[in-house]
PDB file of all heavy atoms in Angstrom:
ATOM      1  N   HIS A   1     -56.769  71.302  57.495  1.00  0.00           N
ATOM      2  CA  HIS A   1     -57.386  72.224  56.530  1.00  0.00           C
ATOM      3  C   HIS A   1     -58.301  73.242  57.191  1.00  0.00           C
ATOM      4  O   HIS A   1     -58.633  74.255  56.583  1.00  0.00           O
ATOM      5  CB  HIS A   1     -58.177  71.443  55.482  1.00  0.00           C
ATOM      6  CG  HIS A   1     -57.326  70.595  54.604  1.00  0.00           C
ATOM      7  ND1 HIS A   1     -56.630  71.091  53.529  1.00  0.00           N
ATOM      8  CD2 HIS A   1     -57.033  69.276  54.664  1.00  0.00           C
ATOM      9  CE1 HIS A   1     -55.952  70.128  52.943  1.00  0.00           C
ATOM     10  NE2 HIS A   1     -56.178  69.004  53.609  1.00  0.00           N
ATOM     11  N   ALA A   2     -58.741  72.966  58.410  1.00  0.00           N
ATOM     12  CA  ALA A   2     -59.617  73.881  59.143  1.00  0.00           C
ATOM     13  C   ALA A   2     -58.884  74.309  60.416  1.00  0.00           C
ATOM     14  O   ALA A   2     -58.422  73.468  61.181  1.00  0.00           O
ATOM     15  CB  ALA A   2     -60.934  73.200  59.502  1.00  0.00           C
ATOM     16  N   ALA A   3     -58.776  75.601  60.621  1.00  0.00           N
ATOM     17  CA  ALA A   3     -58.007  76.137  61.750  1.00  0.00           C
ATOM     18  C   ALA A   3     -58.617  75.706  63.084  1.00  0.00           C
ATOM     19  O   ALA A   3     -59.760  76.049  63.376  1.00  0.00           O
ATOM     20  CB  ALA A   3     -57.937  77.648  61.666  1.00  0.00           C
ATOM     21  N   PRO A   4     -57.847  74.973  63.924  1.00  0.00           N
ATOM     22  CA  PRO A   4     -58.358  74.594  65.233  1.00  0.00           C
ATOM     23  C   PRO A   4     -58.322  75.755  66.225  1.00  0.00           C
ATOM     24  O   PRO A   4     -58.866  75.646  67.313  1.00  0.00           O
ATOM     25  CB  PRO A   4     -57.394  73.481  65.678  1.00  0.00           C
ATOM     26  CG  PRO A   4     -56.139  73.766  64.931  1.00  0.00           C
ATOM     27  CD  PRO A   4     -56.539  74.399  63.643  1.00  0.00           C
ATOM     28  N   HIS A   5     -57.689  76.850  65.835  1.00  0.00           N
ATOM     29  CA  HIS A   5     -57.584  78.066  66.652  1.00  0.00           C
ATOM     30  C   HIS A   5     -57.420  79.223  65.664  1.00  0.00           C
ATOM     31  O   HIS A   5     -56.760  79.071  64.631  1.00  0.00           O
ATOM     32  CB  HIS A   5     -56.364  77.955  67.575  1.00  0.00           C
ATOM     33  CG  HIS A   5     -56.230  79.099  68.527  1.00  0.00           C
ATOM     34  ND1 HIS A   5     -55.712  80.317  68.150  1.00  0.00           N
ATOM     35  CD2 HIS A   5     -56.534  79.199  69.851  1.00  0.00           C
ATOM     36  CE1 HIS A   5     -55.694  81.122  69.197  1.00  0.00           C
ATOM     37  NE2 HIS A   5     -56.196  80.472  70.243  1.00  0.00           N
ATOM     38  N   PRO A   6     -57.990  80.390  65.932  1.00  0.00           N
ATOM     39  CA  PRO A   6     -57.882  81.515  64.992  1.00  0.00           C
ATOM     40  C   PRO A   6     -56.438  81.877  64.618  1.00  0.00           C
ATOM     41  O   PRO A   6     -56.181  82.344  63.498  1.00  0.00           O
ATOM     42  CB  PRO A   6     -58.559  82.670  65.726  1.00  0.00           C
ATOM     43  CG  PRO A   6     -59.493  82.022  66.692  1.00  0.00           C
ATOM     44  CD  PRO A   6     -58.837  80.721  67.090  1.00  0.00           C
ATOM     45  N   ALA A   7     -55.481  81.623  65.499  1.00  0.00           N
ATOM     46  CA  ALA A   7     -54.087  81.968  65.203  1.00  0.00           C
ATOM     47  C   ALA A   7     -53.496  81.125  64.074  1.00  0.00           C
ATOM     48  O   ALA A   7     -52.459  81.471  63.521  1.00  0.00           O
ATOM     49  CB  ALA A   7     -53.236  81.829  66.459  1.00  0.00           C
ATOM     50  N   PHE A   8     -54.144  80.013  63.724  1.00  0.00           N
ATOM     51  CA  PHE A   8     -53.670  79.159  62.633  1.00  0.00           C
ATOM     52  C   PHE A   8     -54.250  79.546  61.273  1.00  0.00           C
ATOM     53  O   PHE A   8     -53.846  79.012  60.254  1.00  0.00           O
ATOM     54  CB  PHE A   8     -54.039  77.698  62.899  1.00  0.00           C
ATOM     55  CG  PHE A   8     -53.275  77.051  64.003  1.00  0.00           C
ATOM     56  CD1 PHE A   8     -53.929  76.629  65.150  1.00  0.00           C
ATOM     57  CD2 PHE A   8     -51.905  76.835  63.896  1.00  0.00           C
ATOM     58  CE1 PHE A   8     -53.236  76.006  66.177  1.00  0.00           C
ATOM     59  CE2 PHE A   8     -51.203  76.211  64.921  1.00  0.00           C
ATOM     60  CZ  PHE A   8     -51.867  75.799  66.059  1.00  0.00           C
ATOM     61  N   ALA A   9     -55.215  80.448  61.249  1.00  0.00           N
ATOM     62  CA  ALA A   9     -55.975  80.741  60.035  1.00  0.00           C
ATOM     63  C   ALA A   9     -55.104  81.096  58.832  1.00  0.00           C
ATOM     64  O   ALA A   9     -55.404  80.683  57.707  1.00  0.00           O
ATOM     65  CB  ALA A   9     -56.979  81.857  60.301  1.00  0.00           C
ATOM     66  N   ASP A  10     -54.020  81.835  59.039  1.00  0.00           N
ATOM     67  CA  ASP A  10     -53.186  82.259  57.911  1.00  0.00           C
ATOM     68  C   ASP A  10     -52.156  81.224  57.483  1.00  0.00           C
ATOM     69  O   ASP A  10     -51.397  81.469  56.550  1.00  0.00           O
ATOM     70  CB  ASP A  10     -52.465  83.569  58.253  1.00  0.00           C
ATOM     71  CG  ASP A  10     -53.433  84.734  58.391  1.00  0.00           C
ATOM     72  OD1 ASP A  10     -54.537  84.658  57.807  1.00  0.00           O
ATOM     73  OD2 ASP A  10     -53.085  85.702  59.083  1.00  0.00           O
ATOM     74  N   SER A  11     -52.115  80.078  58.144  1.00  0.00           N
ATOM     75  CA  SER A  11     -51.093  79.087  57.794  1.00  0.00           C
ATOM     76  C   SER A  11     -51.671  77.775  57.267  1.00  0.00           C
ATOM     77  O   SER A  11     -50.974  76.772  57.190  1.00  0.00           O
ATOM     78  CB  SER A  11     -50.194  78.814  59.001  1.00  0.00           C
ATOM     79  OG  SER A  11     -50.955  78.301  60.065  1.00  0.00           O
ATOM     80  N   LEU A  12     -52.942  77.799  56.889  1.00  0.00           N
ATOM     81  CA  LEU A  12     -53.581  76.594  56.360  1.00  0.00           C
ATOM     82  C   LEU A  12     -53.197  76.352  54.915  1.00  0.00           C
ATOM     83  O   LEU A  12     -52.972  77.296  54.176  1.00  0.00           O
ATOM     84  CB  LEU A  12     -55.096  76.714  56.465  1.00  0.00           C
ATOM     85  CG  LEU A  12     -55.660  76.778  57.880  1.00  0.00           C
ATOM     86  CD1 LEU A  12     -57.142  77.093  57.838  1.00  0.00           C
ATOM     87  CD2 LEU A  12     -55.409  75.486  58.626  1.00  0.00           C
ATOM     88  N   PRO A  13     -53.146  75.110  54.472  1.00  0.00           N
ATOM     89  CA  PRO A  13     -53.101  73.906  55.289  1.00  0.00           C
ATOM     90  C   PRO A  13     -51.694  73.722  55.866  1.00  0.00           C
ATOM     91  O   PRO A  13     -50.723  74.278  55.368  1.00  0.00           O
ATOM     92  CB  PRO A  13     -53.433  72.796  54.297  1.00  0.00           C
ATOM     93  CG  PRO A  13     -52.909  73.301  52.996  1.00  0.00           C
ATOM     94  CD  PRO A  13     -53.086  74.800  53.042  1.00  0.00           C
ATOM     95  N   PHE A  14     -51.603  72.927  56.944  1.00  0.00           N
ATOM     96  CA  PHE A  14     -50.298  72.577  57.496  1.00  0.00           C
ATOM     97  C   PHE A  14     -50.347  71.135  57.970  1.00  0.00           C
ATOM     98  O   PHE A  14     -51.417  70.541  58.093  1.00  0.00           O
ATOM     99  CB  PHE A  14     -49.877  73.527  58.623  1.00  0.00           C
ATOM    100  CG  PHE A  14     -50.769  73.528  59.832  1.00  0.00           C
ATOM    101  CD1 PHE A  14     -50.578  72.629  60.864  1.00  0.00           C
ATOM    102  CD2 PHE A  14     -51.800  74.442  59.941  1.00  0.00           C
ATOM    103  CE1 PHE A  14     -51.402  72.639  61.983  1.00  0.00           C
ATOM    104  CE2 PHE A  14     -52.622  74.467  61.057  1.00  0.00           C
ATOM    105  CZ  PHE A  14     -52.422  73.558  62.080  1.00  0.00           C
ATOM    106  N   ARG A  15     -49.170  70.568  58.184  1.00  0.00           N
ATOM    107  CA  ARG A  15     -49.083  69.172  58.621  1.00  0.00           C
ATOM    108  C   ARG A  15     -48.741  69.094  60.100  1.00  0.00           C
ATOM    109  O   ARG A  15     -47.905  69.834  60.596  1.00  0.00           O
ATOM    110  CB  ARG A  15     -48.010  68.432  57.836  1.00  0.00           C
ATOM    111  CG  ARG A  15     -48.370  68.201  56.395  1.00  0.00           C
ATOM    112  CD  ARG A  15     -47.326  67.309  55.756  1.00  0.00           C
ATOM    113  NE  ARG A  15     -47.711  67.012  54.397  1.00  0.00           N
ATOM    114  CZ  ARG A  15     -46.968  67.291  53.346  1.00  0.00           C
ATOM    115  NH1 ARG A  15     -45.797  67.876  53.493  1.00  0.00           N
ATOM    116  NH2 ARG A  15     -47.380  66.977  52.143  1.00  0.00           N
ATOM    117  N   THR A  16     -49.393  68.166  60.761  1.00  0.00           N
ATOM    118  CA  THR A  16     -49.040  67.814  62.130  1.00  0.00           C
ATOM    119  C   THR A  16     -48.669  66.338  62.110  1.00  0.00           C
ATOM    120  O   THR A  16     -49.146  65.588  61.248  1.00  0.00           O
ATOM    121  CB  THR A  16     -50.205  68.110  63.105  1.00  0.00           C
ATOM    122  OG1 THR A  16     -49.778  67.841  64.436  1.00  0.00           O
ATOM    123  CG2 THR A  16     -51.435  67.327  62.788  1.00  0.00           C
ATOM    124  N   ALA A  17     -47.786  65.921  63.009  1.00  0.00           N
ATOM    125  CA  ALA A  17     -47.282  64.556  62.921  1.00  0.00           C
ATOM    126  C   ALA A  17     -46.968  63.972  64.279  1.00  0.00           C
ATOM    127  O   ALA A  17     -46.749  64.692  65.252  1.00  0.00           O
ATOM    128  CB  ALA A  17     -46.010  64.549  62.073  1.00  0.00           C
ATOM    129  N   LEU A  18     -46.933  62.646  64.321  1.00  0.00           N
ATOM    130  CA  LEU A  18     -46.412  61.910  65.452  1.00  0.00           C
ATOM    131  C   LEU A  18     -45.043  61.393  65.046  1.00  0.00           C
ATOM    132  O   LEU A  18     -44.889  60.767  63.991  1.00  0.00           O
ATOM    133  CB  LEU A  18     -47.309  60.731  65.813  1.00  0.00           C
ATOM    134  CG  LEU A  18     -48.602  61.054  66.534  1.00  0.00           C
ATOM    135  CD1 LEU A  18     -49.431  59.784  66.728  1.00  0.00           C
ATOM    136  CD2 LEU A  18     -48.329  61.704  67.868  1.00  0.00           C
ATOM    137  N   VAL A  19     -44.061  61.669  65.881  1.00  0.00           N
ATOM    138  CA  VAL A  19     -42.692  61.241  65.623  1.00  0.00           C
ATOM    139  C   VAL A  19     -42.267  60.328  66.761  1.00  0.00           C
ATOM    140  O   VAL A  19     -42.426  60.672  67.934  1.00  0.00           O
ATOM    141  CB  VAL A  19     -41.745  62.462  65.540  1.00  0.00           C
ATOM    142  CG1 VAL A  19     -40.293  62.029  65.421  1.00  0.00           C
ATOM    143  CG2 VAL A  19     -42.158  63.359  64.382  1.00  0.00           C
ATOM    144  N   GLU A  20     -41.741  59.153  66.414  1.00  0.00           N
ATOM    145  CA  GLU A  20     -41.153  58.279  67.427  1.00  0.00           C
ATOM    146  C   GLU A  20     -39.695  58.679  67.567  1.00  0.00           C
ATOM    147  O   GLU A  20     -38.904  58.552  66.633  1.00  0.00           O
ATOM    148  CB  GLU A  20     -41.249  56.811  67.038  1.00  0.00           C
ATOM    149  CG  GLU A  20     -40.683  55.903  68.114  1.00  0.00           C
ATOM    150  CD  GLU A  20     -40.873  54.425  67.820  1.00  0.00           C
ATOM    151  OE1 GLU A  20     -41.398  54.069  66.746  1.00  0.00           O
ATOM    152  OE2 GLU A  20     -40.494  53.621  68.688  1.00  0.00           O
ATOM    153  N   LEU A  21     -39.359  59.236  68.712  1.00  0.00           N
ATOM    154  CA  LEU A  21     -38.005  59.707  68.952  1.00  0.00           C
ATOM    155  C   LEU A  21     -37.045  58.531  69.122  1.00  0.00           C
ATOM    156  O   LEU A  21     -37.450  57.423  69.484  1.00  0.00           O
ATOM    157  CB  LEU A  21     -37.970  60.601  70.185  1.00  0.00           C
ATOM    158  CG  LEU A  21     -38.815  61.881  70.058  1.00  0.00           C
ATOM    159  CD1 LEU A  21     -38.943  62.565  71.409  1.00  0.00           C
ATOM    160  CD2 LEU A  21     -38.218  62.816  69.023  1.00  0.00           C
ATOM    161  N   ALA A  22     -35.772  58.768  68.871  1.00  0.00           N
ATOM    162  CA  ALA A  22     -34.748  57.726  68.994  1.00  0.00           C
ATOM    163  C   ALA A  22     -34.769  57.082  70.378  1.00  0.00           C
ATOM    164  O   ALA A  22     -34.487  55.892  70.514  1.00  0.00           O
ATOM    165  CB  ALA A  22     -33.372  58.319  68.691  1.00  0.00           C
ATOM    166  N   GLU A  23     -35.140  57.855  71.394  1.00  0.00           N
ATOM    167  CA  GLU A  23     -35.185  57.354  72.765  1.00  0.00           C
ATOM    168  C   GLU A  23     -36.440  56.530  73.061  1.00  0.00           C
ATOM    169  O   GLU A  23     -36.541  55.915  74.121  1.00  0.00           O
ATOM    170  CB  GLU A  23     -35.096  58.523  73.753  1.00  0.00           C
ATOM    171  CG  GLU A  23     -33.778  59.263  73.700  1.00  0.00           C
ATOM    172  CD  GLU A  23     -33.648  60.245  72.534  1.00  0.00           C
ATOM    173  OE1 GLU A  23     -34.653  60.520  71.834  1.00  0.00           O
ATOM    174  OE2 GLU A  23     -32.540  60.731  72.322  1.00  0.00           O
ATOM    175  N   GLY A  24     -37.426  56.559  72.163  1.00  0.00           N
ATOM    176  CA  GLY A  24     -38.630  55.751  72.335  1.00  0.00           C
ATOM    177  C   GLY A  24     -39.949  56.486  72.433  1.00  0.00           C
ATOM    178  O   GLY A  24     -40.934  56.040  71.854  1.00  0.00           O
ATOM    179  N   PRO A  25     -40.034  57.600  73.169  1.00  0.00           N
ATOM    180  CA  PRO A  25     -41.335  58.263  73.279  1.00  0.00           C
ATOM    181  C   PRO A  25     -41.794  58.850  71.938  1.00  0.00           C
ATOM    182  O   PRO A  25     -40.969  59.130  71.060  1.00  0.00           O
ATOM    183  CB  PRO A  25     -41.094  59.398  74.270  1.00  0.00           C
ATOM    184  CG  PRO A  25     -39.826  59.103  74.938  1.00  0.00           C
ATOM    185  CD  PRO A  25     -39.035  58.229  74.008  1.00  0.00           C
ATOM    186  N   TRP A  26     -43.084  59.031  71.842  1.00  0.00           N
ATOM    187  CA  TRP A  26     -43.658  59.703  70.681  1.00  0.00           C
ATOM    188  C   TRP A  26     -43.888  61.157  71.042  1.00  0.00           C
ATOM    189  O   TRP A  26     -44.292  61.487  72.167  1.00  0.00           O
ATOM    190  CB  TRP A  26     -44.976  59.061  70.286  1.00  0.00           C
ATOM    191  CG  TRP A  26     -44.827  57.704  69.651  1.00  0.00           C
ATOM    192  CD1 TRP A  26     -43.702  56.914  69.639  1.00  0.00           C
ATOM    193  CD2 TRP A  26     -45.832  56.980  68.970  1.00  0.00           C
ATOM    194  NE1 TRP A  26     -43.962  55.754  68.982  1.00  0.00           N
ATOM    195  CE2 TRP A  26     -45.270  55.763  68.553  1.00  0.00           C
ATOM    196  CE3 TRP A  26     -47.151  57.233  68.668  1.00  0.00           C
ATOM    197  CZ2 TRP A  26     -45.979  54.797  67.839  1.00  0.00           C
ATOM    198  CZ3 TRP A  26     -47.863  56.280  67.971  1.00  0.00           C
ATOM    199  CH2 TRP A  26     -47.281  55.080  67.550  1.00  0.00           C
ATOM    200  N   LEU A  27     -43.648  62.036  70.081  1.00  0.00           N
ATOM    201  CA  LEU A  27     -43.827  63.468  70.272  1.00  0.00           C
ATOM    202  C   LEU A  27     -44.703  63.993  69.136  1.00  0.00           C
ATOM    203  O   LEU A  27     -44.457  63.680  67.967  1.00  0.00           O
ATOM    204  CB  LEU A  27     -42.455  64.157  70.245  1.00  0.00           C
ATOM    205  CG  LEU A  27     -42.385  65.624  70.633  1.00  0.00           C
ATOM    206  CD1 LEU A  27     -42.782  65.828  72.087  1.00  0.00           C
ATOM    207  CD2 LEU A  27     -40.956  66.138  70.407  1.00  0.00           C
ATOM    208  N   GLN A  28     -45.741  64.742  69.481  1.00  0.00           N
ATOM    209  CA  GLN A  28     -46.576  65.360  68.453  1.00  0.00           C
ATOM    210  C   GLN A  28     -45.955  66.703  68.101  1.00  0.00           C
ATOM    211  O   GLN A  28     -45.675  67.524  68.984  1.00  0.00           O
ATOM    212  CB  GLN A  28     -48.002  65.566  68.937  1.00  0.00           C
ATOM    213  CG  GLN A  28     -48.891  66.125  67.849  1.00  0.00           C
ATOM    214  CD  GLN A  28     -50.342  66.226  68.270  1.00  0.00           C
ATOM    215  OE1 GLN A  28     -50.716  65.877  69.385  1.00  0.00           O
ATOM    216  NE2 GLN A  28     -51.170  66.706  67.364  1.00  0.00           N
ATOM    217  N   VAL A  29     -45.722  66.927  66.808  1.00  0.00           N
ATOM    218  CA  VAL A  29     -45.094  68.159  66.332  1.00  0.00           C
ATOM    219  C   VAL A  29     -45.791  68.637  65.065  1.00  0.00           C
ATOM    220  O   VAL A  29     -46.527  67.903  64.430  1.00  0.00           O
ATOM    221  CB  VAL A  29     -43.587  67.964  66.029  1.00  0.00           C
ATOM    222  CG1 VAL A  29     -42.810  67.636  67.283  1.00  0.00           C
ATOM    223  CG2 VAL A  29     -43.367  66.913  64.958  1.00  0.00           C
ATOM    224  N   ARG A  30     -45.502  69.855  64.727  1.00  0.00           N
ATOM    225  CA  ARG A  30     -45.912  70.397  63.439  1.00  0.00           C
ATOM    226  C   ARG A  30     -44.758  70.178  62.482  1.00  0.00           C
ATOM    227  O   ARG A  30     -43.605  70.429  62.829  1.00  0.00           O
ATOM    228  CB  ARG A  30     -46.225  71.874  63.585  1.00  0.00           C
ATOM    229  CG  ARG A  30     -46.721  72.483  62.317  1.00  0.00           C
ATOM    230  CD  ARG A  30     -47.411  73.773  62.626  1.00  0.00           C
ATOM    231  NE  ARG A  30     -47.660  74.489  61.412  1.00  0.00           N
ATOM    232  CZ  ARG A  30     -48.113  75.718  61.366  1.00  0.00           C
ATOM    233  NH1 ARG A  30     -48.354  76.354  62.489  1.00  0.00           N
ATOM    234  NH2 ARG A  30     -48.336  76.299  60.232  1.00  0.00           N
ATOM    235  N   LEU A  31     -45.040  69.656  61.281  1.00  0.00           N
ATOM    236  CA  LEU A  31     -43.987  69.468  60.280  1.00  0.00           C
ATOM    237  C   LEU A  31     -43.756  70.790  59.559  1.00  0.00           C
ATOM    238  O   LEU A  31     -44.709  71.451  59.143  1.00  0.00           O
ATOM    239  CB  LEU A  31     -44.373  68.391  59.271  1.00  0.00           C
ATOM    240  CG  LEU A  31     -44.363  66.959  59.777  1.00  0.00           C
ATOM    241  CD1 LEU A  31     -44.784  66.003  58.654  1.00  0.00           C
ATOM    242  CD2 LEU A  31     -43.007  66.560  60.315  1.00  0.00           C
ATOM    243  N   THR A  32     -42.504  71.172  59.429  1.00  0.00           N
ATOM    244  CA  THR A  32     -42.153  72.427  58.785  1.00  0.00           C
ATOM    245  C   THR A  32     -41.135  72.165  57.685  1.00  0.00           C
ATOM    246  O   THR A  32     -40.601  71.065  57.562  1.00  0.00           O
ATOM    247  CB  THR A  32     -41.552  73.426  59.788  1.00  0.00           C
ATOM    248  OG1 THR A  32     -40.344  72.877  60.301  1.00  0.00           O
ATOM    249  CG2 THR A  32     -42.519  73.732  60.914  1.00  0.00           C
ATOM    250  N   GLY A  33     -40.841  73.213  56.920  1.00  0.00           N
ATOM    251  CA  GLY A  33     -39.831  73.114  55.868  1.00  0.00           C
ATOM    252  C   GLY A  33     -40.402  72.510  54.604  1.00  0.00           C
ATOM    253  O   GLY A  33     -41.600  72.286  54.470  1.00  0.00           O
ATOM    254  N   ALA A  34     -39.513  72.249  53.673  1.00  0.00           N
ATOM    255  CA  ALA A  34     -39.910  71.678  52.378  1.00  0.00           C
ATOM    256  C   ALA A  34     -40.130  70.182  52.553  1.00  0.00           C
ATOM    257  O   ALA A  34     -39.192  69.430  52.773  1.00  0.00           O
ATOM    258  CB  ALA A  34     -38.844  71.944  51.332  1.00  0.00           C
ATOM    259  N   GLU A  35     -41.376  69.761  52.466  1.00  0.00           N
ATOM    260  CA  GLU A  35     -41.689  68.350  52.603  1.00  0.00           C
ATOM    261  C   GLU A  35     -42.179  67.798  51.273  1.00  0.00           C
ATOM    262  O   GLU A  35     -42.668  68.544  50.434  1.00  0.00           O
ATOM    263  CB  GLU A  35     -42.776  68.136  53.660  1.00  0.00           C
ATOM    264  CG  GLU A  35     -42.307  68.402  55.052  1.00  0.00           C
ATOM    265  CD  GLU A  35     -42.964  69.627  55.649  1.00  0.00           C
ATOM    266  OE1 GLU A  35     -44.052  70.012  55.207  1.00  0.00           O
ATOM    267  OE2 GLU A  35     -42.363  70.202  56.561  1.00  0.00           O
ATOM    268  N   PRO A  36     -42.082  66.495  51.100  1.00  0.00           N
ATOM    269  CA  PRO A  36     -42.646  65.892  49.889  1.00  0.00           C
ATOM    270  C   PRO A  36     -44.164  66.020  49.885  1.00  0.00           C
ATOM    271  O   PRO A  36     -44.772  66.246  50.921  1.00  0.00           O
ATOM    272  CB  PRO A  36     -42.218  64.425  50.010  1.00  0.00           C
ATOM    273  CG  PRO A  36     -41.955  64.207  51.460  1.00  0.00           C
ATOM    274  CD  PRO A  36     -41.504  65.529  52.012  1.00  0.00           C
ATOM    275  N   ALA A  37     -44.750  65.876  48.706  1.00  0.00           N
ATOM    276  CA  ALA A  37     -46.206  65.975  48.587  1.00  0.00           C
ATOM    277  C   ALA A  37     -46.891  64.940  49.481  1.00  0.00           C
ATOM    278  O   ALA A  37     -47.915  65.219  50.085  1.00  0.00           O
ATOM    279  CB  ALA A  37     -46.628  65.780  47.136  1.00  0.00           C
ATOM    280  N   THR A  38     -46.323  63.747  49.569  1.00  0.00           N
ATOM    281  CA  THR A  38     -46.879  62.705  50.425  1.00  0.00           C
ATOM    282  C   THR A  38     -45.766  62.146  51.306  1.00  0.00           C
ATOM    283  O   THR A  38     -44.875  61.457  50.820  1.00  0.00           O
ATOM    284  CB  THR A  38     -47.476  61.562  49.573  1.00  0.00           C
ATOM    285  OG1 THR A  38     -48.452  62.112  48.691  1.00  0.00           O
ATOM    286  CG2 THR A  38     -48.124  60.519  50.442  1.00  0.00           C
ATOM    287  N   PRO A  39     -45.788  62.455  52.596  1.00  0.00           N
ATOM    288  CA  PRO A  39     -44.768  61.887  53.502  1.00  0.00           C
ATOM    289  C   PRO A  39     -44.880  60.364  53.547  1.00  0.00           C
ATOM    290  O   PRO A  39     -45.916  59.792  53.199  1.00  0.00           O
ATOM    291  CB  PRO A  39     -45.119  62.492  54.857  1.00  0.00           C
ATOM    292  CG  PRO A  39     -45.973  63.655  54.561  1.00  0.00           C
ATOM    293  CD  PRO A  39     -46.699  63.329  53.290  1.00  0.00           C
ATOM    294  N   VAL A  40     -43.829  59.720  53.992  1.00  0.00           N
ATOM    295  CA  VAL A  40     -43.802  58.269  54.093  1.00  0.00           C
ATOM    296  C   VAL A  40     -43.497  57.880  55.537  1.00  0.00           C
ATOM    297  O   VAL A  40     -42.519  58.381  56.118  1.00  0.00           O
ATOM    298  CB  VAL A  40     -42.724  57.682  53.153  1.00  0.00           C
ATOM    299  CG1 VAL A  40     -42.625  56.178  53.300  1.00  0.00           C
ATOM    300  CG2 VAL A  40     -43.007  58.068  51.708  1.00  0.00           C
TER     301      VAL A  40
END
């Protein structure tokens, strides 16, 4: 909800996530597209 960098100011709020890849490592990404109100 608060821009961690000025370049994010126009895209608030946004979701960031940890994803466990099929190969095993975790990758931090920004979630994009049409998402449900509450991810699971």
